[in-house]
Amino acid sequence: MGRDDDPDAGGATNTDGSTDTDAHTDGPRLTHLLGRGTARDWRTVDAAEVDPVRVAVIGLGWFTRGRALPALADSDYCEPAVMVSGSPGKAERVAAEHDAVAVTYDEFLDGAARESYDAVYVVTPNALHLEYCRAAAGFGKAVLCEKPVERDSERAAALVDACADADVPLMIGYRMQTEPAVRRARELLRAGYVGEPQAVRGEMTQRLLDRIDPDPDQWRLDAGLAGGGALFDLGVYPLNTARFLLDADPVAAVGRTAATHDAFDEVDETASYTLQFPGEVDAHCFVSHDARHGSEIAVVGTEGRVAVRPAFFQDDDRVLHVSTGDTETTVRFDRVDQMREEFDYFADRIRGDAPIGPDGAHGLFDVRAMEAIYESEETGGWVAID
Amino acid sequence: MGRDDDPDAGGATNTDGSTDTDAHTDGPRLTHLLGRGTARDWRTVDAAEVDPVRVAVIGLGWFTRGRALPALADSDYCEPAVMVSGSPGKAERVAAEHDAVAVTYDEFLDGAARESYDAVYVVTPNALHLEYCRAAAGFGKAVLCEKPVERDSERAAALVDACADADVPLMIGYRMQTEPAVRRARELLRAGYVGEPQAVRGEMTQRLLDRIDPDPDQWRLDAGLAGGGALFDLGVYPLNTARFLLDADPVAAVGRTAATHDAFDEVDETASYTLQFPGEVDAHCFVSHDARHGSEIAVVGTEGRVAVRPAFFQDDDRVLHVSTGDTETTVRFDRVDQMREEFDYFADRIRGDAPIGPDGAHGLFDVRAMEAIYESEETGGWVAID
């Protein structure tokens, strides 16, 4: 992916555009890059000068209620406008909290309240993304769709096509791409701070069954609704963040999955996989729905290493670890509301002229890469990602 | 590997033998285990009550002179007795520093000074291990052979057989198995402190060309003498330490290697590989002769994680990182002289009755595993390790 379809279009590179590979000896450069802290380097539009983007939120599960809606309510650029749920009662309850309009899934598809929103945020089970994104595109609305795009690449491609055909903006909800610690890590890499990347390591683990108890029917465990288990739910984080940090896409994958608990009779509980990036750079990743909470993404280069640890969970404070030359630097970031960053960035692109991204093609690639990992388990070897 | 052929035979398990999987909630247990610090839990013999083991050192390169000989001179249980080199002048010079006998390679093979030593430490290029170990075994001497055992598994097996046929003790020089931080990590794993292991991560990187400059003819770059490059030289550390920590052997491997500098026209400069352990536990490893100095070994389990970071280089202070329950613990170890630990352990086993290990079969397994990784590069898929 190039700079045109990611959040960097607003100018995340150094102001001098330099990628000096000897930069690791340049102390002021490190200070300069990290000095950005949690700054919104992607910002192109002044929130005070544009109308807020009115968002219809489709899918009112725990993530929406606990994470997305508070962020939307706090947003500088967006406001919650319409609440869409399969349950009329839930839609009413949630809408009442946010002074929003309540509609059911079916009503939404029929075009209800379409004058009340400018954009949709689709956070249903994966396999419902296509239907609601396609409907929203048909209404001419901008679309922010949760990752992974859909439960398989065929449906994901149809979703991307539907938005393209309707000529509406489509962004996939990769909150790591607007997470300041990850953006600072990427700037260090781009500035040549750790030399040439040689390897990437990614890890994301949690105890899903503890979190969702007592909801054994949760859609993440349903192959038809989710498409995949730990790989789709967690694995997409190290996969996509590796792509974002390296500014490159993997060409092949090898991996395997496992499951031990009965709850995971349809989908994978853990996934272990390696992504082969151009330049002989491998990304080794492990994700688990049955391990203690933890996450990390690290890039090892010829001149040093950069790691964000913890990396992926919203409730952790992010810490950036940089080793280069004869120093090891630890940078602790104030926590940002990652969902608010994502919503504000999305709205900045809707209201401004800068290109939007990560776009549909970018998200579709991840689904194909994950399918290659599943296929690798069958073939026992590397599978090309096309 | 079982407990009979590794340094734990002296009693590294808990005194109560417990492997309670709920141990992560048991604070005193953690304190108890870590309270061992750098203690020599493997010790079975009082150095004051036995004759020192007189060691013939075969191969006087920089590692021998800079690391092994100072440790041997400091050892409680050993003493440097004979210095063996291809260069008579070098043998004389080094012998003079240690009040030892100097002999050439050829003289050694002819049995020179055989009354002056009890054991040999073989630290020649990999492809010479067989010849000198076989000769030493023929003289009835105990053998401490550097890892990897030989340049290929056929020669490694011949070496192991030669020692078995002569009924002499053979130990392979895996200094991580007597490194206190690694032993404490293993005790935590055995006590169930992080639950069931799910994944392992290993990394070892250095800038070899900076270190060996101006010696471009260094044997590590010669395929005939070394057998392999980064994988043989560095990769054996995460591989063997993963086996030691998990107390298990991998059943299959997938991986690939790369090289960019001209100096690496015969052997690999970097290696990226995954080892499949029983119980669906994968170990992801990356090693490089062209990256900033760094190393780590980590085990992710259902209840927590244990990492030694830095892990493998002798000049680093070892730090043990333990996360379990709602705590993250960092334990900094006083640095031990790893070579001295290894020599003293070897001598303890020679002078005492406890079984010696890591033994030849254990070391041979690593060579086979590394050959499987190279083979995987050809086949593009998982290769069984037999």
Side-chain angles (χ1 to χ4, degrees), chain B residues 21-53:
Chain B
T21 54
D22 287 324
H24 66 287
T25 57
D26 176 4
R29 173 71 55 78
L30 180 63
T31 312
H32 170 69
L33 290 173
L34 295 178
R36 293 165 177 265
T38 60
R40 294 178 151 188
D41 51 273
W42 44 259
R43 204 175 74 116
T44 64
V45 169
D46 183 344
E49 292 178 2
V50 293
D51 291 332
V53 174

Short mmCIF file of all heavy atoms in Angstrom, two decimals, chain B residues 21-53:
data_model
loop_
_atom_site.label_atom_id
_atom_site.label_comp_id
_atom_site.label_asym_id
_atom_site.label_seq_id
_atom_site.Cartn_x
_atom_site.Cartn_y
_atom_site.Cartn_z
N THR B 21 -0.68 -26.34 38.75
CA THR B 21 -0.93 -25.37 37.68
C THR B 21 -1.60 -24.09 38.17
O THR B 21 -1.75 -23.16 37.43
CB THR B 21 -1.82 -25.99 36.57
OG1 THR B 21 -3.00 -26.50 37.18
CG2 THR B 21 -1.07 -27.09 35.85
N ASP B 22 -2.01 -24.07 39.40
CA ASP B 22 -2.55 -22.84 39.95
C ASP B 22 -1.50 -22.02 40.67
O ASP B 22 -1.79 -21.07 41.38
CB ASP B 22 -3.71 -23.14 40.92
CG ASP B 22 -4.94 -23.58 40.14
OD1 ASP B 22 -5.17 -23.04 39.05
OD2 ASP B 22 -5.65 -24.45 40.65
N ALA B 23 -0.27 -22.41 40.46
CA ALA B 23 0.82 -21.81 41.22
C ALA B 23 0.98 -20.31 40.97
O ALA B 23 1.60 -19.62 41.74
CB ALA B 23 2.13 -22.51 40.91
N HIS B 24 0.37 -19.81 39.87
CA HIS B 24 0.58 -18.39 39.57
C HIS B 24 -0.07 -17.49 40.59
O HIS B 24 0.23 -16.31 40.64
CB HIS B 24 0.05 -18.05 38.17
CG HIS B 24 -1.42 -18.17 38.06
ND1 HIS B 24 -2.06 -19.37 38.02
CD2 HIS B 24 -2.39 -17.22 37.97
CE1 HIS B 24 -3.36 -19.17 37.92
NE2 HIS B 24 -3.59 -17.89 37.89
N THR B 25 -0.96 -18.02 41.39
CA THR B 25 -1.57 -17.19 42.42
C THR B 25 -0.82 -17.31 43.75
O THR B 25 -1.19 -16.69 44.72
CB THR B 25 -3.03 -17.62 42.66
OG1 THR B 25 -3.03 -19.00 43.02
CG2 THR B 25 -3.86 -17.41 41.41
N ASP B 26 0.24 -18.06 43.73
CA ASP B 26 0.94 -18.41 44.97
C ASP B 26 2.22 -17.59 45.07
O ASP B 26 3.29 -18.01 44.66
CB ASP B 26 1.23 -19.92 44.91
CG ASP B 26 2.04 -20.38 46.11
OD1 ASP B 26 2.32 -19.55 46.99
OD2 ASP B 26 2.41 -21.55 46.13
N GLY B 27 2.08 -16.40 45.65
CA GLY B 27 3.22 -15.49 45.74
C GLY B 27 4.48 -16.09 46.32
O GLY B 27 5.54 -16.01 45.73
N PRO B 28 4.37 -16.74 47.48
CA PRO B 28 5.58 -17.29 48.09
C PRO B 28 6.33 -18.24 47.17
O PRO B 28 7.54 -18.31 47.20
CB PRO B 28 5.04 -18.02 49.32
CG PRO B 28 3.76 -17.31 49.63
CD PRO B 28 3.19 -16.90 48.31
N ARG B 29 5.60 -18.97 46.33
CA ARG B 29 6.27 -19.89 45.43
C ARG B 29 7.21 -19.14 44.49
O ARG B 29 8.33 -19.54 44.25
CB ARG B 29 5.22 -20.68 44.64
CG ARG B 29 5.76 -21.55 43.53
CD ARG B 29 6.50 -22.79 44.03
NE ARG B 29 5.69 -23.56 44.92
CZ ARG B 29 4.70 -24.40 44.55
NH1 ARG B 29 4.44 -24.56 43.29
NH2 ARG B 29 4.03 -25.06 45.44
N LEU B 30 6.73 -18.02 43.94
CA LEU B 30 7.57 -17.23 43.04
C LEU B 30 8.82 -16.78 43.77
O LEU B 30 9.94 -16.91 43.28
CB LEU B 30 6.80 -16.02 42.50
CG LEU B 30 7.55 -15.09 41.55
CD1 LEU B 30 7.96 -15.80 40.27
CD2 LEU B 30 6.69 -13.87 41.20
N THR B 31 8.62 -16.26 44.97
CA THR B 31 9.75 -15.81 45.77
C THR B 31 10.71 -16.96 46.04
O THR B 31 11.93 -16.82 45.94
CB THR B 31 9.24 -15.26 47.11
OG1 THR B 31 8.18 -14.37 46.85
CG2 THR B 31 10.35 -14.55 47.85
N HIS B 32 10.12 -18.09 46.35
CA HIS B 32 10.94 -19.26 46.64
C HIS B 32 11.79 -19.64 45.43
O HIS B 32 12.99 -19.85 45.54
CB HIS B 32 10.03 -20.43 47.04
CG HIS B 32 10.75 -21.74 47.14
ND1 HIS B 32 11.67 -22.02 48.12
CD2 HIS B 32 10.70 -22.83 46.34
CE1 HIS B 32 12.15 -23.23 47.93
NE2 HIS B 32 11.58 -23.75 46.86
N LEU B 33 11.15 -19.69 44.28
CA LEU B 33 11.88 -20.12 43.08
C LEU B 33 12.95 -19.11 42.70
O LEU B 33 14.08 -19.48 42.41
CB LEU B 33 10.91 -20.31 41.91
CG LEU B 33 9.97 -21.50 42.05
CD1 LEU B 33 8.94 -21.49 40.94
CD2 LEU B 33 10.76 -22.80 42.02
N LEU B 34 12.57 -17.85 42.70
CA LEU B 34 13.54 -16.85 42.28
C LEU B 34 14.61 -16.63 43.33
O LEU B 34 15.69 -16.15 43.04
CB LEU B 34 12.82 -15.55 41.93
CG LEU B 34 11.91 -15.70 40.72
CD1 LEU B 34 11.19 -14.40 40.44
CD2 LEU B 34 12.68 -16.17 39.50
N GLY B 35 14.28 -16.98 44.56
CA GLY B 35 15.24 -16.84 45.64
C GLY B 35 16.49 -17.68 45.44
O GLY B 35 17.52 -17.44 46.07
N ARG B 36 16.41 -18.64 44.53
CA ARG B 36 17.60 -19.43 44.24
C ARG B 36 18.67 -18.57 43.54
O ARG B 36 19.84 -18.91 43.57
CB ARG B 36 17.26 -20.58 43.29
CG ARG B 36 16.35 -21.64 43.87
CD ARG B 36 15.81 -22.48 42.74
NE ARG B 36 14.96 -23.58 43.17
CZ ARG B 36 15.39 -24.83 43.36
NH1 ARG B 36 16.67 -25.11 43.19
NH2 ARG B 36 14.58 -25.77 43.74
N GLY B 37 18.23 -17.52 42.89
CA GLY B 37 19.15 -16.61 42.24
C GLY B 37 20.14 -17.33 41.36
O GLY B 37 19.75 -18.11 40.49
N THR B 38 21.41 -17.08 41.58
CA THR B 38 22.44 -17.70 40.75
C THR B 38 22.99 -18.97 41.39
O THR B 38 24.07 -19.45 41.02
CB THR B 38 23.59 -16.71 40.48
OG1 THR B 38 24.15 -16.35 41.73
CG2 THR B 38 23.10 -15.47 39.75
N ALA B 39 22.26 -19.50 42.36
CA ALA B 39 22.74 -20.70 43.07
C ALA B 39 23.00 -21.86 42.10
O ALA B 39 22.30 -22.02 41.11
CB ALA B 39 21.72 -21.13 44.11
N ARG B 40 24.01 -22.65 42.43
CA ARG B 40 24.36 -23.81 41.60
C ARG B 40 23.54 -25.01 42.06
O ARG B 40 24.05 -25.90 42.75
CB ARG B 40 25.85 -24.09 41.73
CG ARG B 40 26.69 -22.97 41.15
CD ARG B 40 28.17 -23.27 41.34
NE ARG B 40 28.95 -22.65 40.27
CZ ARG B 40 30.24 -22.86 40.08
NH1 ARG B 40 30.92 -23.69 40.86
NH2 ARG B 40 30.87 -22.27 39.09
N ASP B 41 22.29 -25.03 41.65
CA ASP B 41 21.39 -26.08 42.11
C ASP B 41 21.80 -27.45 41.58
O ASP B 41 21.30 -28.47 42.06
CB ASP B 41 19.96 -25.77 41.67
CG ASP B 41 19.88 -25.47 40.19
OD1 ASP B 41 20.06 -24.31 39.80
OD2 ASP B 41 19.66 -26.41 39.40
N TRP B 42 22.71 -27.46 40.59
CA TRP B 42 23.15 -28.73 40.00
C TRP B 42 24.28 -29.38 40.78
O TRP B 42 24.69 -30.50 40.50
CB TRP B 42 23.60 -28.51 38.54
CG TRP B 42 24.48 -27.30 38.33
CD1 TRP B 42 24.09 -26.09 37.83
CD2 TRP B 42 25.87 -27.18 38.62
NE1 TRP B 42 25.16 -25.21 37.80
CE2 TRP B 42 26.25 -25.86 38.27
CE3 TRP B 42 26.84 -28.04 39.16
CZ2 TRP B 42 27.57 -25.39 38.44
CZ3 TRP B 42 28.14 -27.58 39.33
CH2 TRP B 42 28.49 -26.26 38.97
N ARG B 43 24.81 -28.70 41.77
CA ARG B 43 26.02 -29.15 42.42
C ARG B 43 25.82 -30.46 43.20
O ARG B 43 24.90 -30.57 43.99
CB ARG B 43 26.54 -28.07 43.37
CG ARG B 43 28.02 -28.17 43.66
CD ARG B 43 28.44 -26.98 44.50
NE ARG B 43 27.97 -27.16 45.86
CZ ARG B 43 28.79 -27.30 46.91
NH1 ARG B 43 30.10 -27.23 46.75
NH2 ARG B 43 28.29 -27.46 48.11
N THR B 44 26.67 -31.43 42.99
CA THR B 44 26.59 -32.69 43.75
C THR B 44 27.90 -33.01 44.46
O THR B 44 27.94 -33.89 45.31
CB THR B 44 26.27 -33.89 42.83
OG1 THR B 44 27.34 -34.07 41.90
CG2 THR B 44 24.97 -33.67 42.06
N VAL B 45 28.95 -32.30 44.09
CA VAL B 45 30.30 -32.64 44.59
C VAL B 45 30.94 -31.39 45.18
O VAL B 45 30.79 -30.29 44.64
CB VAL B 45 31.16 -33.16 43.40
CG1 VAL B 45 32.62 -33.26 43.80
CG2 VAL B 45 30.63 -34.49 42.89
N ASP B 46 31.64 -31.56 46.30
CA ASP B 46 32.38 -30.46 46.91
C ASP B 46 33.75 -30.37 46.24
O ASP B 46 34.54 -31.32 46.29
CB ASP B 46 32.52 -30.73 48.41
CG ASP B 46 33.22 -29.58 49.13
OD1 ASP B 46 33.84 -28.73 48.45
OD2 ASP B 46 33.14 -29.55 50.36
N ALA B 47 34.02 -29.22 45.64
CA ALA B 47 35.26 -29.07 44.88
C ALA B 47 36.49 -29.34 45.75
O ALA B 47 37.52 -29.84 45.27
CB ALA B 47 35.34 -27.66 44.28
N ALA B 48 36.38 -29.03 47.02
CA ALA B 48 37.55 -29.19 47.90
C ALA B 48 37.87 -30.65 48.15
O ALA B 48 38.96 -30.99 48.61
CB ALA B 48 37.28 -28.47 49.23
N GLU B 49 36.91 -31.52 47.85
CA GLU B 49 37.11 -32.94 48.19
C GLU B 49 37.48 -33.80 47.00
O GLU B 49 37.59 -35.02 47.12
CB GLU B 49 35.84 -33.49 48.84
CG GLU B 49 35.61 -32.85 50.21
CD GLU B 49 34.33 -33.34 50.87
OE1 GLU B 49 33.65 -34.20 50.28
OE2 GLU B 49 34.03 -32.86 51.97
N VAL B 50 37.63 -33.18 45.84
CA VAL B 50 37.99 -33.96 44.65
C VAL B 50 39.19 -33.34 43.96
O VAL B 50 39.48 -32.15 44.12
CB VAL B 50 36.82 -34.06 43.64
CG1 VAL B 50 35.67 -34.88 44.23
CG2 VAL B 50 36.36 -32.68 43.21
N ASP B 51 39.87 -34.15 43.18
CA ASP B 51 40.96 -33.62 42.36
C ASP B 51 40.39 -32.79 41.23
O ASP B 51 39.35 -33.15 40.67
CB ASP B 51 41.76 -34.78 41.73
CG ASP B 51 42.55 -35.55 42.78
OD1 ASP B 51 42.91 -34.94 43.80
OD2 ASP B 51 42.78 -36.76 42.56
N PRO B 52 41.05 -31.70 40.90
CA PRO B 52 40.57 -30.92 39.76
C PRO B 52 40.65 -31.75 38.48
O PRO B 52 41.51 -32.61 38.34
CB PRO B 52 41.52 -29.73 39.71
CG PRO B 52 42.71 -30.11 40.51
CD PRO B 52 42.25 -31.11 41.53
N VAL B 53 39.72 -31.48 37.59
CA VAL B 53 39.75 -32.12 36.27
C VAL B 53 40.73 -31.33 35.40
O VAL B 53 40.54 -30.13 35.17
CB VAL B 53 38.33 -32.12 35.64
CG1 VAL B 53 38.39 -32.66 34.21
CG2 VAL B 53 37.37 -32.95 36.49
#
